[in-house]
Amino acid sequence: MEGLYLFRFLRGHAVSLIGLAAFLLGSPARAEDWVRDRARAGDFVLAAEGRAAKIVTDAADYEVVRIAADDLRRDIATVSGATEGGAAQVWVGTLGRNAEIDALVKAGRIDATKLEGAWESFLIVTVDRPAPGVSRALVIVGSDRRGTAYGAYELSRGIGVSPWHWWADVTPLHRDALYVKKGMQRFGPPSVRYRGMFLNDEDWGLVPWAAGTHAPDETPLGPKTYAKLFELLLRLKANLLWPAMHKVTRPFNADPANAALADRYAIVMGSSHAEPMLRNNVGEWTASAADFDYLKNPDGVRRYWDARVSANATYDSVWTLGMRGIHDSGMAGPKTVGERRATLERIFADQRAMLEKAGIGSAPQVFTPYKEVLDVYRAGLKVPDDVTLMWPDDNFGYIRHFPDAAERARKGGSGVYYHLSYLGAPLSYLWLSTTPPALIRQEMGRAWDNGARTMWVANVGDLKPAELGTDYFLRMAWDVEGTRKRAIDDIVADFAAETIGPRVAGPTAAIMRDYHRLNFERRPEHLQWYLPGEKARQSPLTINEADKRLSAFAAMEAAVEQIEPLVALERRDAFFELVGYPVRASAAANRRFFAAEAHDRLRDVDLAEAMRRGHVAQEADAAIGVLTRRYNREIAGGKWRGMMAVEPADGQWRSYRLIPPILPPADAIPPADERIGTAQATASWTGVAPRDFVVGAGWRLVDGLGRQGDLLAASGTGGLAKARAILPAGQWRMAVDLLPTYADRDGDPLRLTVRVDGKSHDLAVPRETGNRDWASGVLDNRLSLTLPGELAGGAHDLAVSASDSGVMIEAVRFLPVEADDALH
């Protein structure tokens, strides 16, 4: 099985014999091109023969520089076992804050011309005899305080310390010696100015874990937890955090130590769309909810906001403007869209006056047209030109609005608020992280191309188990072009090499490709085909189709079993957290659901098989419990106790959450063969996959996304993609499957033209967030468009064109006329 997954990883990649040999031997990833185990001429000796270069900073530099330098010192010791000593040194400093480095720049020994005035950039450069008594120095110099910290952590990453070393238990592997390539390495500036995460819906993971395991001596979430989060952000070259804000969590600013700590780590603090002026309304608004009304109580609300401005004016912050309800609800007071528009414009003026009065009128400010506020914006809301417009997705990874020409010209620019986790309608997804990196690449790439370049924030839920998605999102925010030009499998293989080990990187990438493909078809939290409150109905899959799906999950599980013994012992916990648990838990969730459904379907026609399926469902349910207990109680010595909760974790928010599955009674089911989804399960489809098209101008193949493993994406220039379909005898209906993306803005239809044997069909797909079609689309990750008429068996020439860049074709399917209902 390892060989199968290795073959699937290499298939489709142009790999030379030398490159293939290097891959099979487990060569390191790109960052190690300038950090190595064996010395070459001119290399800087970072650590060798038990001695490590001394880490040197300037007392006049920023606190975050000292923090990062201390971590680098600790990381070098952890990896090499060496202690500081010898004549070589590592200088870590910020331009204008480190006298020794400034002297080297002034003397022309370091070319810092591209660093001066740059945003969050850094150099890593070797310098001979930089000062009396110092034979050689490796100089890490930043354009600003975060740039310097990023430089120190980049060297840590180069020697083998993953940004996820603490959060995913990626134990650094020992290296006897460490050498840095002679010369200069340049990094930055980042593609996106502000890049970060939003901790959200923390009730069932982050807070129970922090309160009961990580920091039981402080009210969650406190400085002990945030210190670990801030370090992670810096190691990922991120700079922004929206803190957790549910009622179960103590408001971030309620403990002044939190904000002071963020400042020490140079982390920019912001707040979500529902928390203007850095105020956590759920925990900090102590008056009646009815008084959070700007028409009825403007003075009280202004005093509430102004107190936070006064307290946090000296910190690096992004100030959220506007107003909504207490907790992610509509604004109280104004009734009509016109009244809401006028009230918001008054609020903008008052909030900005507070910032001006505090001397921070030029501080970054953001406004998010989220949910009902988007309607107010489109009704003519005037947002100050220097305020960043933060465009949201639809909570399921599809961005609702892309900046137009006028919005791109605004001084404040645009940003994106994106979801990797969500609590809300139609169904939440809070358990496993299944958003494909390829969807992040596609949607955030479209946002970038349309000018959303000022701020990117991902809602990461509890952070775990969203490590891969978070890593990819922030990697792309740092370097959009460098990230999106690479195949998803390549980047996932790099992530696996860094966090698990090079030996299994390729097979792990192949496993995760299937993991994202299968769970994209239906997330584990969405394994029901009706919404809460509706009459229950079964899935549209036949038993045979469900068995084929389960066979694919079983193959993934078998691959995990095959490669796990190849993982170094000190990386087994990381492997379980990043690969083993999500793959096995999602497989068990599907096995539980479809086996229970098969039991119900077969009960009256094949009792023995129904009972066998019932036993499989019970065993799958037990397996989820065993896996989750291991995650919470055994992995890393119980470090994550309380973190992992199977959805639904409790009875809260029932209208937005999966209904717990009803399983056959265990005592009525005899032991049976537990296998399900075997090689005999066959379910086929007749159609044309994206890779079968001849792609012309205006189209491109997108890897790593969709049920077929890739998609056909339009660029919006209207070119043709062509294919030929060969249909068996009979009468057929044709359907085009699309991803539920948006055109330039929510409300506009997706448009494409399909030509069949020379006859054109102009299709327009209504796209309106919140309606029934939208709900079905995001749960299925598919919109199916049926063409009028029927086709006879034989050869048919197809061509597609689209003027909307949002059009992404997953497949063209043909169904026998008698099976037409399967489209729905």
Side-chain angles (χ1 to χ4, degrees):
M1 186 61 68
E2 179 194 358
L4 169 64
Y5 271 77
L6 175 59
F7 169 76
R8 290 172 58 190
F9 171 73
L10 294 173
R11 184 179 60 194
H13 291 67
V15 182
S16 68
L17 290 177
I18 294 176
L20 176 58
F23 175 83
L24 292 172
L25 291 172
S27 60
R30 280 163 193 73
E32 290 76 0
D33 290 345
W34 53 278
V35 181
R36 42 199 173 221
D37 298 335
R38 296 184 179 181
R40 299 181 190 175
D43 281 358
F44 176 84
V45 182
L46 186 62
E49 298 178 349
R51 307 294 283 178
K54 184 179 180 181
I55 311 296
V56 180
T57 59
D58 192 314
D61 217 327
Y62 299 98
E63 178 70 4
V64 69
V65 173
R66 185 194 63 76
I67 292 172
D70 286 346
D71 285 342
L72 174 59
R73 181 181 295 109
R74 189 178 305 110
D75 291 344
I76 293 171
T78 299
V79 170
S80 68
T83 57
E84 284 189 342
Q89 297 182 356
V90 177
W91 292 4
V92 184
T94 309
L95 279 181
R97 287 280 188 144
N98 186 298
E100 297 284 1
I101 292 176
D102 289 345
L104 291 176
V105 172
K106 185 176 181 180
R109 303 199 61 194
I110 295 178
D111 180 6
T113 53
K114 294 184 179 180
L115 206 59
E116 294 170 352
W119 177 261
E120 296 181 346
S121 302
F122 60 95
L123 305 175
I124 300 178
V125 57
T126 54
V127 179
D128 293 331
R129 296 180 298 280
V134 181
S135 62
R136 208 161 188 220
L138 181 67
V139 180
I140 301 172
V141 53
S143 61
D144 50 31
R145 59 178 181 160
R146 280 188 293 273
T148 307
Y150 294 159
Y153 288 122
E154 187 68 24
L155 182 56
S156 284
R157 192 169 194 168
I159 68 174
V161 179
S162 165
W164 298 96
H165 75 100
W166 193 87
W167 281 97
D169 300 301
V170 183
T171 303
L173 302 179
H174 177 77
R175 301 169 77 172
D176 288 334
L178 299 167
Y179 303 94
V180 179
K181 180 181 178 181
K182 179 182 180 179
M184 178 183 291
Q185 312 293 326
R186 296 180 182 272
F187 299 84
S191 298
V192 179
R193 190 171 183 86
Y194 294 104
R195 314 162 305 283
M197 63 178 71
F198 175 27
L199 301 174
N200 195 212
D201 308 320
E202 65 276 10
D203 309 48
W204 304 282
L206 200 59
V207 165
W209 162 77
T213 305
H214 176 62
D217 57 334
E218 63 184 23
T219 304
L221 299 172
K224 288 184 179 179
T225 302
Y226 280 116
K228 294 297 185 183
L229 286 161
F230 295 156
E231 178 193 329
L232 174 67
L233 287 170
L234 293 176
R235 288 183 183 268
L236 291 171
K237 293 195 283 290
N239 59 12
L240 175 65
L241 180 68
W242 292 357
M245 44 72 71
H246 271 213
K247 193 171 185 178
V248 70
T249 307
R250 187 183 188 189
F252 180 84
N253 286 293
D255 184 352
N258 285 332
L261 185 71
D263 187 60
R264 288 181 59 218
Y265 276 85
I267 296 299
V268 183
M269 294 305 301
S271 56
S272 73
H273 55 89
E275 303 171 279
M277 307 303 283
L278 301 184
R279 275 295 196 176
N280 179 327
N281 300 320
V282 174
E284 293 188 300
W285 181 260
T286 57
S288 165
D291 289 337
F292 197 64
D293 182 331
Y294 212 71
L295 294 184
K296 185 176 72 174
N297 184 31
D299 291 340
V301 176
R302 276 197 297 266
R303 286 193 299 271
Y304 171 68
W305 288 336
D306 196 47
R308 180 52 36 77
V309 173
S310 298
N312 289 53
T314 60
Y315 296 138
D316 203 355
S317 306
V318 173
W319 296 87
T320 296
L321 303 186
M323 185 175 185
R324 296 188 70 223
I326 291 291
H327 187 167
D328 199 4
S329 57
M331 179 171 54
K335 304 300 181 185
T336 68
V337 170
E339 290 174 349
R340 293 188 186 101
R341 183 180 67 239
T343 303
L344 277 174
E345 290 174 358
R346 175 187 171 192
I347 288 170
F348 289 157
D350 291 349
Q351 290 171 333
R352 285 163 64 84
M354 296 176 198
L355 298 177
E356 285 286 354
K357 182 181 177 181
I360 54 171
S362 61
Q365 299 156 40
V366 64
F367 172 69
T368 305
Y370 186 61
K371 294 187 177 179
E372 79 289 340
V373 184
L374 184 58
D375 295 331
V376 182
Y377 174 81
R378 290 178 175 170
L381 178 68
K382 295 178 181 177
V383 182
D385 188 65
D386 60 343
V387 173
T388 300
L389 295 174
M390 195 78 165
W391 302 110
D393 67 353
D394 65 348
N395 305 314
F396 289 82
Y398 301 101
I399 297 174
R400 296 177 61 188
H401 182 108
F402 296 92
D404 59 23
E407 290 158 346
R408 288 194 290 271
R410 299 178 72 260
K411 181 180 178 181
S414 290
V416 177
Y417 169 43
Y418 196 80
H419 285 78
L420 300 177
S421 175
Y422 179 62
L423 171 65
L427 283 173
S428 307
Y429 55 105
L430 300 171
W431 177 25
L432 302 177
S433 183
T434 53
T435 299
L439 181 62
I440 300 171
R441 178 184 62 188
Q442 185 68 15
E443 289 296 279
M444 298 308 297
R446 287 181 67 201
W448 169 264
D449 291 339
N450 283 279
R453 303 182 175 190
T454 302
M455 186 181 304
W456 288 9
V457 175
N459 184 324
V460 300
D462 292 308
L463 182 59
K464 296 180 71 65
E467 295 95 339
L468 174 57
T470 301
D471 191 280
Y472 187 85
F473 180 91
L474 293 174
R475 179 193 298 249
M476 189 169 179
W478 175 261
D479 180 9
V480 170
E481 298 298 349
T483 301
R484 69 174 173 177
K485 72 181 181 182
R486 298 183 59 205
I488 294 296
D489 276 358
D490 289 343
I491 289 184
V492 175
D494 280 358
F495 178 81
E498 183 179 49
T499 56
I500 300 168
R503 188 179 183 187
V504 298
T508 298
I511 291 170
M512 296 311 292
R513 182 185 177 96
D514 283 349
Y515 169 81
H516 286 117
R517 177 179 59 82
L518 289 167
N519 288 302
F520 185 71
E521 185 174 349
R522 199 77 180 188
R523 295 181 191 265
E525 301 93 337
H526 299 163
L527 288 173
Q528 69 180 46
W529 272 259
Y530 58 94
L531 301 182
E534 293 183 348
K535 182 179 179 181
R537 62 176 178 272
Q538 294 178 329
S539 78
L541 275 67
T542 65
I543 291 177
N544 200 38
E545 290 169 335
D547 283 356
K548 182 183 179 183
R549 175 173 172 81
L550 296 179
S551 291
F553 274 106
M556 279 198 306
E557 288 186 283
V560 169
E561 295 294 333
Q562 288 290 324
I563 68 173
E564 191 167 27
L566 304 177
V567 177
L569 289 176
E570 55 265 53
R571 292 284 179 88
R572 296 283 176 88
D573 286 347
F575 181 79
F576 179 82
E577 294 169 44
L578 299 173
V579 180
Y581 182 83
V583 166
R584 291 171 174 135
S586 63
N590 277 266
R591 202 160 57 245
R592 176 180 66 180
F593 174 84
F594 287 109
E597 185 173 78
H599 167 273
D600 296 344
R601 288 176 170 178
L602 294 169
R603 185 80 184 184
D604 293 336
V605 295
D606 189 342
L607 182 59
E609 179 63 10
M611 295 180 74
R612 189 184 78 83
R613 299 275 181 155
H615 180 70
V616 170
Q618 287 283 354
E619 288 297 313
D621 187 63
I624 293 172
V626 170
L627 286 165
T628 305
R629 282 192 294 275
R630 181 182 173 195
Y631 198 120
N632 285 326
R633 300 181 184 181
E634 299 175 20
I635 291 298
K639 174 180 175 180
W640 301 111
R641 189 180 187 96
M643 177 62 82
M644 190 56 58
V646 179
E647 181 68 9
D650 55 27
Q652 299 184 69
W653 304 85
R654 290 186 180 182
S655 60
Y656 300 144
R657 301 173 82 172
L658 182 80
I659 296 172
I662 300 174
L663 303 179
D667 57 1
I669 301 173
D673 182 355
E674 297 175 20
R675 289 176 299 171
I676 189 169
T678 64
Q680 286 71 41
T682 58
S684 61
W685 68 290
T686 301
V688 181
R691 67 183 73 90
D692 297 327
F693 279 85
V694 176
V695 179
W699 294 90
R700 60 188 175 85
L701 207 60
V702 175
D703 64 292
L705 193 55
R707 288 162 174 79
Q708 309 304 318
D710 43 36
L711 290 170
L712 199 59
S715 65
T717 59
L720 290 176
K722 300 178 180 180
R724 169 164 286 194
I726 308 296
L727 303 182
Q731 294 298 114
W732 301 82
R733 290 194 184 277
M734 176 176 166
V736 181
D737 293 338
L738 307 177
L739 255 61
T741 53
Y742 294 85
D744 290 335
R745 51 181 275 166
D746 186 357
D748 294 343
L750 281 172
R751 299 182 186 276
L752 71 158
T753 298
V754 180
R755 193 167 67 202
V756 184
D757 298 329
K759 182 179 180 180
S760 292
H761 302 269
D762 294 324
L763 306 178
V765 191
R767 298 293 292 124
E768 183 178 344
T769 301
N771 64 20
R772 180 74 199 195
D773 288 341
W774 166 80
S776 297
V778 296
L779 296 179
D780 288 337
N781 281 304
R782 181 169 70 183
L783 302 171
S784 290
L785 311 179
T786 307
L787 271 64
E790 299 177 6
L791 297 175
H796 297 276
D797 292 323
L798 313 178
V800 292
S801 65
S803 57
D804 289 335
S805 63
V807 172
M808 288 193 281
I809 298 175
E810 184 180 64
V812 174
R813 290 185 295 146
F814 299 93
L815 282 89
V817 171
E818 63 270 21
D820 187 45
D821 286 344
L823 288 171
H824 310 288

